[in-house]
Amino acid sequence: MWARQILLIIIGLSSGMIVAGGLFSFISGLGVVSDLADRTHTGEHVMLYEDAITLGGILGNAFWIFQVSIPKAGWLLPVFGLLAGIFTGCWAMALAEMLDVFPIFVRRTKVLRCIPWAILGTAIGKCLGSFLFFYQRWGR
């Protein structure tokens, strides 16, 4: 009985580490961290950014698995939502940039003057969609 539980623990932890390593490799491969450091002229802090992303992934998983609650931290939810949205948006933009989605889209639709409005509309739509989703889920 104990041997089976220990084996399941080892398999679960190993699988989680492999998946997390793959995700962090994907984020690094997209160049999200280095691109942000380059654009903000803070290249000397790349290791700090990567450590913060790794620590955030580890703590997020630990809080989720062990259902850690932070008392009187309701004000942290909007801050977390903003930071998670910024990170997700940067990740999506890095993926889109890597795949050259926007240049192909612009070439095919021949829309040059409205590109900033299309990007702004996409960002506003993503924000409103996220807000409505989370408001319906937890705002009751």
Side-chain angles (χ1 to χ4, degrees):
M1 184 68 158
W2 284 98
R4 182 173 184 229
Q5 294 297 321
I6 291 172
L7 181 64
L8 288 175
I9 289 171
I10 291 171
I11 291 172
L13 286 174
S14 299
S15 300
M17 286 184 217
I18 290 170
V19 170
L23 177 65
F24 290 129
S25 296
F26 183 63
I27 291 171
S28 297
L30 285 177
V32 175
V33 178
S34 58
D35 191 37
L36 286 176
D38 182 44
R39 290 177 191 234
T40 58
H41 306 294
T42 56
E44 64 273 4
H45 301 294
V46 170
M47 293 297 287
L48 176 66
Y49 298 153
E50 290 175 352
D51 290 342
I53 290 170
T54 305
L55 183 63
I58 292 168
L59 289 177
N61 282 324
F63 281 22
W64 181 269
I65 290 170
F66 298 114
Q67 297 183 359
V68 175
S69 63
I70 302 171
K72 297 182 182 179
W75 61 272
L76 283 176
L77 188 60
V79 173
F80 172 76
L82 177 67
L83 295 176
I86 290 170
F87 177 73
T88 304
C90 291
W91 195 18
M93 291 308 294
L95 182 60
E97 189 175 304
M98 186 174 145
L99 297 175
D100 293 328
V101 171
F102 287 116
I104 293 169
F105 175 75
V106 169
R107 241 182 275 129
R108 290 196 180 171
T109 59
K110 297 178 182 155
V111 180
L112 294 175
R113 294 181 302 175
C114 299
I115 292 173
W117 295 106
I119 293 172
L120 181 64
T122 303
I124 290 172
K126 295 288 277 179
C127 289
L128 286 175
S130 297
F131 174 75
L132 290 174
F133 173 78
F134 288 110
Y135 181 76
Q136 287 179 348
R137 190 166 184 183
W138 288 302
R140 296 180 189 146

